[in-house]
Amino acid sequence: MNLTGKGFRSDEFYGTPLSRRNARDLKGILDRCGLLLEEHAFPALLPVPEPHLGSLFPVYSLKPAEPAGRAEAPVPEISGPCIVIGMMRMGYGHYRTGLALASAATANGVTPLLFDPGWVSEEIYRNLGRLDAWYRKGSQLAHRSSLFNSLVWERGTGKTFKKIDAMVRVYRAAGQLLPAFLPLDEQWPFVGTHSWLSQAASLRGMTRVANAVQDNWPKGFFLSGRGIQCVQGPSSYSGYRLTLGMGGRRKEA
């Protein structure tokens, strides 16, 4: 499948041209994702009631069907509109945001379906676990050492991810998560609590995608190449809308 023919650009993000190297890397990522969409298949996902949250509001998790030959629990019937809420174990914040979105969906008469790509693929689960472990260690060290925070942590998580070119890293990570998104229907509404999740949903071909931006400091790393960008306040709105300080020309995101 040719993703560049589906509207994905490999030469610019929101009007900001990419360097030749980044454009080449991005084209390779899109080509690999296109092949993945043609060749891979995963088992169907079933809604599983969440017992820990069921007493508060009805919420379900989308998990793979049991292998053939094993006893399966009855599939609950869900009536009315639903929304898939993408979460992943990368610090506590992304799960917390997902639960808040689930609560808001329930209050508006929409059934939330929680989705973690690590539930679908053991390899993705392990890789996300390693990243989460390194992130936690770095964050804890940054809180204990101002020198490490200023020389390493802030530079690595701030300046490096500020420019719009950081979206190439988002596409690369989303490409690694894409296999877990293949069972999702293209017509389902989806909101991701991380740009990797929103971008993976867009690469899957889902058209009703929202990206719940976690950080109020505008960074290219937190933008998704497709879908609606949802921010938390007026100051971050203008920064993300105009891609302020992200390099290159200004164009509304």
Side-chain angles (χ1 to χ4, degrees):
M1 182 181 295
N2 183 8
L3 289 180
T4 55
K6 295 284 187 179
F8 288 96
R9 298 285 299 272
S10 61
D11 58 344
E12 60 92 18
F13 288 134
Y14 298 117
T16 299
L18 298 177
S19 66
R20 183 177 300 178
R21 177 181 177 181
N22 280 329
R24 184 176 64 249
D25 289 348
L26 182 56
K27 186 179 185 305
I29 294 169
L30 291 175
D31 289 344
R32 288 193 295 274
C33 289
L35 291 174
L36 189 66
L37 290 172
E38 293 176 350
E39 297 174 356
H40 271 258
F42 274 79
L45 300 178
L46 299 177
V48 179
E50 279 292 342
H52 302 295
L53 297 172
S55 60
L56 299 176
F57 51 86
V59 61
Y60 301 85
S61 294
L62 287 175
K63 296 185 178 181
E66 294 288 347
R70 292 180 58 182
E72 297 184 8
V75 179
E77 294 186 5
I78 301 175
S79 59
C82 301
I83 185 170
V84 180
I85 300 174
M87 308 186 304
M88 66 180 187
R89 196 169 298 282
M90 184 62 64
Y92 181 62
H94 303 292
Y95 263 70
R96 180 175 56 193
T97 304
L99 294 178
L101 291 170
S103 176
T106 303
N108 285 276
V110 179
T111 301
L113 304 174
L114 306 182
F115 173 73
D116 184 328
W119 295 338
V120 181
S121 166
E122 183 67 28
E123 181 180 0
I124 291 175
Y125 177 82
R126 290 195 301 268
N127 290 339
L128 288 177
R130 295 189 191 100
L131 286 173
D132 182 43
W134 280 108
Y135 181 85
R136 289 176 183 271
K137 289 179 180 178
S139 178
Q140 291 168 2
L141 184 56
H143 279 84
R144 293 196 298 265
S145 170
S146 58
L147 184 63
F148 175 83
N149 183 60
S150 60
L151 295 181
V152 180
W153 191 250
E154 283 295 331
R155 186 173 298 178
T157 61
K159 296 179 181 179
T160 303
F161 294 155
K162 175 74 171 176
K163 300 299 182 183
I164 201 76
D165 278 7
M167 287 184 65
V168 176
R169 297 183 178 91
V170 176
Y171 271 82
R172 184 177 293 113
Q176 298 296 319
L177 300 179
L178 182 58
F181 283 73
L182 298 182
L184 300 181
D185 191 281
E186 295 180 0
Q187 301 302 316
W188 289 352
F190 181 94
V191 56
T193 61
H194 194 290
S195 56
W196 295 355
L197 302 169
S198 306
Q199 189 59 62
S202 295
L203 289 171
R204 167 64 183 88
M206 302 178 78
T207 56
R208 303 164 67 188
V209 177
N211 176 34
V213 178
Q214 298 281 315
D215 206 305
N216 284 323
W217 183 18
K219 299 176 187 177
F221 183 75
F222 293 122
L223 285 171
S224 173
R226 285 283 191 87
I228 299 172
Q229 318 293 333
C230 302
V231 298
Q232 301 181 45
S235 60
S236 58
Y237 173 83
S238 60
Y240 280 109
R241 181 81 173 181
L242 300 176
T243 60
L244 295 176
M246 298 183 190
R249 310 185 194 120
R250 288 186 184 178
K251 183 179 179 181
E252 293 185 355

